[in-house]
Amino acid sequence: MTLETLESAVLAGDSQRCLAALAGLTESERSRVAARMVEIRKRIEPRSSREPAEIPPPAGVEFETLRRAASTAVLGTASLAEIRRLGQLISDFSADAYAVMADRRPPWIGEWADWLLEATPWPWPAVRRLIREGHCPRPQSETYILAMVSYPRQDRSLRAELEEDRDLLGHEVWRLFEIEGEGNRSLAARDKHPDPGYRWLDTLAILASHGLLSRDRLLDATLGALERDFAQFRAGWFSRFHQKLAPTPEEKSVRAEQYLRLLSSRIPPTVTLAMDAVVELEQAGSLTDTDLLAALPPALYGRDKKNVSRAVQLLERVAERSAEARAQVAELAVPALEHPALEVQTAALDLIERCGQPLPPGLAERSSTVAATLQPRVERLLPIQPAQAPTQPAREPSVSAGAGTEAQAWRHRADQLIPSLVALAGVPAAFAAVETGDPAVGMLDLRDPRIPRLHPDARLSPIGSLEELVERSSAALENQGPPEELELVLEGVARFCNSHPAGWEGITAPLRKRALALMEKTPGKAFRGDPRANLAAVVVSWLGAGKPRGITTARAVARFTAARCEELAQRVSAHQAGPLLAAPTHSGGWLDPQVLVNKHLELLGAGLTPGRLDLIQALLRLAPDRRAEALASATPLTGEGADALRYALGGEVAEVGPDGALWVAAARARSPLANDERVDAAHPGLGPDAGQAARLLFRVFDSHGKAMPQPGLLREPTPPKQPAADLPTVLLHTSAQWRDLPTLRWQALVWPQQRETWFGMGVQVFAGNLEWWEAEWGNRAFLESLLHPDTHPGPMAMLLLTLGLAAKEPGESSLATDVYAAMVRDGRLDGTNLGETLAILLDSGVIKTGRWAKTLGEVSRDSPLVAETTRHALAAALCRTIQRKPADLTPLLELFEELTERASASVTSEATREVLKTLKSGKAGQVARRLLGLSRAGDQVYREEALRALVEARLERAERWQAGIAC
């Protein structure tokens, strides 16, 4: 075989000739022609959709035929390292590729098979054939097993495949119970397939029933998998399969020890499976009291109401059987008093009372966590403490009616501040609340442009040297953020792209290598939605290590961020050093207007034209501060971009220019919430938040046969199907494609002045994920944006928060409770506003009220101010909500009763009382009657603690604002 022979076959697209030329060659002979085959494979691939390949297919030959022949030649000659460097160019697997590898059988064939299956499961049948025929050792990696699971079988059923290849039943199948998987590569993900013939659960159960798999071993393997505490979504498959096998009482008895151990699992459905078995075994007398008492404690600390209730019931049965065990039973029941469900607390307290003396340890310490309605019973159990002389200083003087030194100190602090800031921070309203003794005041309006955004503590540190740029670039590539750091690194590249000091290549070599490695993993080696791929592409362009191939797989606002990076890459590859206009100066994405003008002047002084997308992004990040001074400084600037900048800063222009995207950004920066008639007339029909400000309306749509109605948003004007990549404010109204956390955090910085549009995207995402089947970790980026104390919560923000509080995914609902507490403390949320939003979602029918009762109950333990806000919100929501069934309202009514008892208050709202009077039957009627019977005036100490927190938070806000202005 000569190089010319093989090359001729490749360029003719003749795979069969390639196979004939390669047959029987030694590794030495193959390596001599490998470099040329790799080069040809690269050159036949089009560089992008806009650039043709260097070696096109010959006449009459399809591109795929040419590609197949070239890939066959590479597989038959190249080393494993060379193959890996080609990435997706050589990751396909055809029959020809099988023939090459079966003939060649290199020592690294097993590593190659693993690498191939890591990219895609499609080659699984061919790899398996190589293994069966003895050409390839059986890989020991998880990749091999997960490819077996996720390979999309189409021609025959999974059962037929396993029955034909019995060796899989002896080895590979059992490894399924040892590996969790990830993403779409797991048993749980694969078994979403609607056809039972392709589902692992049904197939393995059938094989077990036919004796092809050991039933006993399957039962043990499923319980063993559950003991590994895989993530809940993936652990659920093993629970369902165990239940599918329907173990008999005898089989459960043999495995009693495993079921007892699973009571300590961190996965609630696993605990449920174990509890079902333990209850059955206990009733059959297959468990000793000693075993039960040793295994139950973890279950009593759980959050699942049903499981904790059944654990308490098991303790009751032990107490009935053994008087000697009652003291231990009572002690074990104490943790259940911390459960948020009133029924669980009541059952645990009933059991403790029945067990009698001595009182269990820890009861006194947990007395404060018990529901207010149960407090009297706990107090009766506890021994009366003898009166003692006070060892603590007396309580602070009353703040009511403006009396006392504390109120005087507050007013003195307010007198030292700028009056306009005191008013904007809501301090007068807080003082008025002290006068009336009622902490229910209105929430703050934080949309006023006079509120300072550029606090010195939030100033970002730009990159000052090439060495610092290399260090921070490397960290940003690995961490994919934080997003402000990504922006500073991009500006550092823009400023230092022409800096080549002595030793430059050595300084940048590790960064170059890492960026190239990341680019190899990017489909098409292009710009796309995620920060890492985009930053790697910019770094590669800067260091002259390659040229990214356009933008791929990026839609919605991710397409704008990718296009920005592509624009920057073109500039740095030409070594045009200068500032990046859009780099934020302060956290949150804010850009100092004066800094923007100065950068614009610096670019012009260097003979450079600002990047168009760079300027669009810069306009959208303009802070309200210092706009008048920046406008005056912008006089020397000329051109359409300068006119748009002056318009964004509040200046007037003779006419709106032809660049629609540029003027849309200027209009949205100038007045985010208002229609801009001039821009809309010059550039009509671009969509919401172009010339016309968007209007977002929450709606519940036809469920199309689904059990739950489908919540979502209507947008006016209607978004276009494919907004242009240079219209980020419009793109924010399209569905997010890239929903990983780093990407969403980066997109949150696109338009910091108008968060409502961003929160609207979050509402759409959360509404579609209330009944999640798999955690979407990126969703927390929307809630994180609400944590900043100066972010105004409009209707979309409130909907986002309340949907988060009702989320099934624990990470989302937990973060939502943190956000809720923070918003109450800093005055951005009040009971009336929250109550209105709760009522909207209650009437929609999309919320499971038990989740709200749980999250709102937990967060209300934060402080009296948070608890009182929740109580007022529930009162406001209930007085407007009469469409839900009484049973649906019961969890919220119970929480309302708990908070009212805690405050020693009563229901004073006549509208709420009228609604309560309509609830006459069932549990809801019982709670309503108890609420209507309360007639207390409220605990003054409790109310004053809420008032203190209210006043302090608003004074601290005004002081923070003034400190920012002074600096």
Side-chain angles (χ1 to χ4, degrees):
M1 191 275 298
T2 64
L3 173 61
E4 292 75 15
T5 303
L6 183 57
E7 183 172 336
S8 173
V10 170
L11 296 178
D14 192 336
S15 296
Q16 293 307 307
R17 282 173 55 196
C18 290
L19 290 172
L22 291 167
L25 295 182
T26 66
E27 286 299 313
S28 176
E29 291 170 328
R30 296 173 191 271
S31 65
R32 284 200 292 269
V33 297
R36 178 58 179 162
M37 295 303 104
V38 169
E39 179 189 358
I40 292 174
R41 180 64 188 91
K42 290 179 178 178
R43 293 177 65 193
I44 69 170
E45 193 76 18
R47 294 183 64 83
S48 73
S49 58
R50 300 187 294 269
E51 299 180 61
E54 294 181 34
I55 302 178
V61 177
E62 297 289 337
F63 169 70
E64 286 301 324
T65 303
L66 180 63
R67 168 192 268 180
R68 179 173 171 178
S71 297
T72 300
V74 170
L75 281 177
T77 60
S79 67
L80 179 58
E82 289 170 322
I83 291 171
R84 281 175 166 168
R85 279 197 292 271
L86 283 173
Q88 285 201 331
L89 296 183
I90 198 70
S91 64
D92 53 345
F93 195 103
S94 62
D96 295 337
Y98 163 80
V100 169
M101 299 307 282
D103 171 63
R104 185 178 184 185
R105 283 182 282 182
W108 42 260
I109 189 172
E111 295 178 67
W112 166 79
D114 257 352
W115 170 79
L116 194 66
L117 293 174
E118 186 175 356
T120 172
W122 279 98
W124 156 258
V127 169
R128 180 60 191 164
R129 182 182 171 191
L130 287 171
I131 295 170
R132 291 180 68 182
E133 294 179 0
H135 303 310
C136 177
R138 177 186 279 128
Q140 298 304 307
S141 67
E142 292 186 2
T143 299
Y144 167 64
I145 300 299
L146 295 177
M148 178 183 73
V149 170
S150 54
Y151 166 65
R153 294 161 178 86
Q154 297 173 334
D155 299 332
R156 57 178 178 166
S157 70
L158 174 61
R159 177 182 173 185
E161 178 183 333
L162 294 175
E163 287 182 339
E164 178 185 326
D165 190 353
R166 296 291 181 91
D167 190 45
L168 293 174
L169 301 180
H171 182 270
E172 279 81 356
V173 161
W174 300 108
R175 292 197 61 201
L176 294 174
F177 298 88
E178 302 169 359
I179 298 171
E180 178 176 8
E182 58 185 8
N184 290 325
R185 291 192 176 198
S186 69
L187 288 165
R190 189 70 190 96
D191 271 12
K192 291 187 295 180
H193 197 294
D195 188 343
Y198 295 95
R199 289 206 294 260
W200 284 88
L201 187 145
D202 301 295
T203 300
L204 295 183
I206 291 172
L207 293 176
S209 68
H210 290 185
L212 295 177
L213 287 172
S214 166
R215 175 181 171 83
D216 280 342
R217 188 175 177 185
L218 285 174
L219 289 170
D220 291 337
T222 53
L223 295 179
L226 292 173
E227 285 192 84
R228 290 182 169 88
D229 265 355
F230 295 151
Q232 183 166 322
F233 169 67
R234 290 181 278 273
W237 186 93
F238 299 98
S239 293
R240 291 189 294 274
F241 184 50
H242 190 81
Q243 292 165 336
K244 177 84 173 178
L245 293 173
T248 64
E250 293 76 16
E251 289 172 327
K252 289 180 180 178
S253 179
V254 171
R255 295 164 178 83
E257 186 177 340
Q258 284 178 284
Y259 290 120
L260 288 170
R261 286 201 303 267
L262 286 175
L263 291 178
S264 63
S265 172
R266 65 182 180 88
I267 307 300
T270 300
V271 177
T272 299
L273 178 144
M275 188 64 76
D276 289 341
V278 167
V279 168
E280 182 179 335
L281 291 169
E282 188 274 339
Q283 291 173 346
S286 301
L287 297 175
T288 67
D289 289 347
T290 301
D291 290 339
L292 270 176
L293 295 178
L296 282 175
L300 290 157
Y301 282 94
R303 295 289 89 187
D304 183 85
K305 182 170 73 173
K306 181 180 179 182
N307 286 333
V308 179
S309 296
R310 291 197 293 174
V312 172
Q313 291 168 5
L314 288 170
L315 288 178
E316 289 176 351
R317 291 174 62 84
V318 173
E320 290 170 0
R321 288 193 294 265
S322 172
E324 295 78 10
R326 287 174 187 168
Q328 185 180 358
V329 165
E331 182 177 351
L332 292 179
V334 169
L337 294 174
E338 296 182 342
H339 196 279
L342 180 62
E343 299 97 314
V344 174
Q345 292 187 15
T346 302
L349 188 56
D350 290 344
L351 176 57
I352 292 170
E353 289 174 337
R354 285 198 294 273
C355 286
Q357 297 293 333
L359 289 177
L363 179 62
E365 290 80 357
R366 285 178 170 83
S367 61
S368 61
T369 67
V370 175
T373 51
L374 299 178
Q375 290 281 352
R377 290 175 57 184
V378 175
E379 291 172 1
R380 285 195 294 270
L381 284 175
L382 296 174
I384 299 175
Q385 298 295 329
Q388 296 180 356
T391 58
Q392 299 293 329
R395 186 173 60 83
E396 298 179 53
S398 170
V399 301
S400 300
T405 57
E406 188 173 29
Q408 294 172 3
W410 287 336
R411 295 187 182 279
H412 177 72
R413 286 167 61 185
D415 290 341
Q416 312 307 308
L417 302 173
I418 299 172
S420 61
L421 295 182
V422 172
L424 287 171
V427 175
F431 285 167
V434 171
E435 297 286 343
T436 62
D438 184 1
V441 297
M443 59 183 282
L444 299 175
D445 187 342
L446 299 174
R447 294 168 294 185
D448 196 298
R450 293 174 295 170
I451 295 173
R453 308 289 176 176
L454 305 179
H455 196 282
D457 291 345
R459 183 176 293 279
L460 301 174
S461 175
I463 293 172
S465 67
L466 178 64
E467 291 77 6
E468 184 184 359
L469 172 60
V470 171
E471 180 180 350
R472 289 170 68 173
S473 296
S474 299
L477 275 176
E478 298 308 319
N479 301 327
Q480 300 201 71
E484 289 91 345
E485 183 68 4
L486 288 169
E487 293 287 345
L488 294 176
V489 167
L490 291 176
E491 190 192 29
V493 173
R495 283 194 176 275
F496 293 99
C497 65
N498 202 27
S499 178
H500 296 163
W504 177 75
E505 291 187 356
I507 294 172
T508 59
L511 177 61
R512 180 199 308 260
K513 181 178 179 180
R514 182 56 176 150
L516 280 170
L518 291 172
M519 286 295 291
E520 292 291 338
K521 298 181 179 180
T522 302
K525 297 182 182 178
F527 297 91
R528 59 178 195 170
D530 57 312
R532 176 174 287 164
N534 288 324
L535 182 55
V538 171
V539 169
V540 164
S541 300
W542 160 42
L543 298 178
K547 183 179 180 182
R549 300 172 177 172
I551 300 173
T552 62
T553 61
R555 296 194 299 271
V557 74
R559 190 159 187 83
F560 171 72
T561 55
R564 269 189 68 215
C565 289
E566 184 182 36
E567 178 184 81
L568 175 59
Q570 293 171 356
R571 173 180 149 187
V572 300
S573 63
H575 305 294
Q576 296 176 350
L580 192 67
L581 297 182
T585 57
H586 293 71
S587 61
W590 292 109
L591 175 56
D592 186 331
Q594 187 62 60
V595 172
L596 172 57
V597 172
N598 293 342
K599 285 184 177 181
H600 204 307
L601 291 168
E602 183 183 347
L603 277 177
L604 294 180
L608 299 176
T609 301
R612 178 172 172 273
L613 299 180
D614 185 25
L615 180 56
I616 287 172
Q617 177 61 93
L619 296 178
L620 293 174
R621 286 180 173 161
L622 281 171
D625 317 53
R626 305 178 66 188
R627 289 196 177 191
E629 299 93 318
L631 179 61
S633 302
T635 303
L637 299 174
T638 59
E640 186 179 8
D643 289 341
L645 172 56
R646 281 189 284 269
Y647 191 68
L649 291 171
E652 297 302 326
V653 294
E655 61 179 357
V656 172
D659 190 333
L662 187 61
W663 287 93
V664 163
R668 292 303 103 216
R670 180 186 179 96
S671 186
L673 300 175
N675 293 337
D676 193 305
E677 296 179 1
R678 295 183 65 188
V679 171
D680 190 49
H683 303 285
L686 295 180
D689 280 326
Q692 296 185 46
R695 294 179 296 280
L696 305 180
L697 306 171
F698 180 79
R699 291 289 185 270
V700 177
F701 300 97
D702 184 0
S703 63
H704 299 293
K706 296 182 180 179
M708 294 288 287
Q710 303 301 297
L713 293 180
L714 286 177
R715 292 176 169 88
E716 298 175 354
T718 303
K721 290 184 179 179
Q722 293 183 332
D726 55 6
L727 291 170
T729 55
V730 181
L731 287 166
L732 283 167
H733 292 278
T734 56
S735 298
Q737 177 201 14
W738 292 92
R739 296 244 290 271
D740 61 286
L741 189 56
T743 299
L744 287 176
R745 282 173 172 166
W746 194 19
Q747 293 175 3
L749 302 188
V750 167
W751 193 15
Q753 196 175 0
Q754 170 52 332
R755 293 289 190 192
E756 273 292 274
T757 297
W758 170 250
F759 293 137
M761 182 191 291
V763 167
Q764 194 76 51
V765 169
F766 271 72
N769 197 46
L770 281 174
E771 300 303 317
W772 68 291
W773 64 270
E774 188 172 33
E776 295 182 359
W777 307 117
N779 291 356
R780 64 183 297 119
F782 296 104
L783 288 169
E784 287 174 350
S785 301
L786 270 171
L787 282 170
H788 194 281
D790 290 342
T791 296
H792 179 79
M796 291 300 108
M798 294 303 302
L799 281 168
L800 173 66
L801 175 63
T802 47
L803 287 168
L805 290 168
K808 185 175 183 179
E809 202 283 301
E812 292 177 5
S813 58
S814 177
L815 178 58
T817 60
D818 293 342
V819 172
Y820 174 66
M823 291 176 67
V824 171
R825 287 193 295 267
D826 60 33
R828 293 183 295 137
L829 187 150
D830 71 332
T832 300
N833 193 31
L834 177 61
E836 292 173 355
T837 310
L838 292 174
I840 291 171
L841 290 175
L842 276 170
D843 287 342
S844 73
V846 302
I847 299 297
K848 293 185 176 179
T849 56
R851 293 185 194 156
W852 268 347
K854 177 182 177 182
T855 53
L856 289 173
E858 289 175 351
V859 74
S860 293
R861 298 172 185 170
D862 179 87
S863 68
L865 179 60
V866 175
E868 282 296 273
T869 301
T870 305
R871 185 168 73 88
H872 284 285
L874 291 173
L878 290 170
C879 75
R880 290 184 48 186
T881 304
I882 56 176
Q883 298 180 27
R884 295 293 290 264
K885 297 177 182 178
D888 292 341
L889 297 179
T890 300
L892 296 181
L893 287 168
E894 290 178 333
L895 176 59
F896 186 36
E897 180 188 21
E898 162 69 17
L899 296 175
T900 306
E901 287 278 4
R902 194 183 303 177
S904 298
S906 57
V907 182
T908 57
S909 165
E910 285 302 321
T912 306
R913 294 182 69 87
E914 288 302 314
V915 171
L916 292 175
K917 290 175 183 176
T918 65
L919 304 174
K920 300 184 181 299
S921 60
K923 199 170 185 180
Q926 296 173 12
V927 180
R929 285 191 290 276
R930 290 199 298 267
L931 281 165
L932 290 169
L934 298 175
S935 59
R936 291 165 297 184
D939 185 333
Q940 181 179 352
V941 175
Y942 184 83
R943 186 169 57 244
E944 289 180 355
E945 187 175 342
L947 286 166
R948 283 191 178 89
L950 172 69
V951 175
E952 284 290 342
R954 298 200 169 192
L955 278 170
E956 289 170 4
R957 174 184 290 278
E959 290 166 344
R960 174 171 57 83
W961 285 349
Q962 180 152 318
I965 292 176
C967 295

